[in-house]
Amino acid sequence: MKITTDIKDSVLTLTKLIDNIEIIYGKKKIHHGALSSVTHEPFEVKILDDECKEDTEHVIDFDLAQQMTIKFFDGTVKTYQDEVE
């Protein structure tokens, strides 16, 4: 998944408003949870994975991600995904 300016803006500037992030890597590989941390350079996003018991923090791999959905506390939802070529 290409890291666009819109993705960076949503995560970096609206950090305190984010309720949950869901990442889909494939048909059965989904991670979702609250935002744990974000770094600007290099751009890295970590979430607290609701499903994983051993390693509760998940670093989003944008190279493998197919879709990212950000849910905000006000009910707004933003979804980003790779364009189909």
Side-chain angles (χ1 to χ4, degrees):
M1 168 183 261
K2 184 178 177 184
I3 301 173
T4 63
T5 306
D6 196 27
I7 290 173
K8 282 186 172 184
D9 285 347
S10 291
V11 176
L12 293 170
T13 61
L14 303 174
T15 304
K16 295 189 185 287
L17 303 176
I18 295 174
D19 179 32
N20 194 317
I21 295 179
E22 179 180 85
I23 299 295
I24 299 175
Y25 291 108
K27 291 181 180 179
K28 296 189 179 191
K29 186 133 177 162
I30 299 172
H31 293 273
H32 54 85
L35 181 65
S36 173
S37 68
V38 61
T39 55
H40 189 298
E41 244 352 282
F43 185 67
E44 181 181 79
V45 180
K46 293 181 184 178
I47 61 172
L48 297 173
D49 196 329
D50 296 339
E51 301 295 317
C52 200
K53 302 297 181 210
E54 298 94 36
D55 189 15
T56 57
E57 216 171 40
H58 174 73
V59 178
I60 296 173
D61 185 342
F62 285 98
D63 290 333
L64 298 176
Q66 295 176 355
Q67 183 177 331
M68 174 178 177
T69 301
I70 303 173
K71 297 176 184 173
F72 297 93
F73 286 113
D74 68 356
T76 306
V77 175
K78 288 188 176 186
T79 300
Y80 304 96
Q81 63 186 26
D82 277 336
E83 294 181 17
V84 178
E85 295 180 11

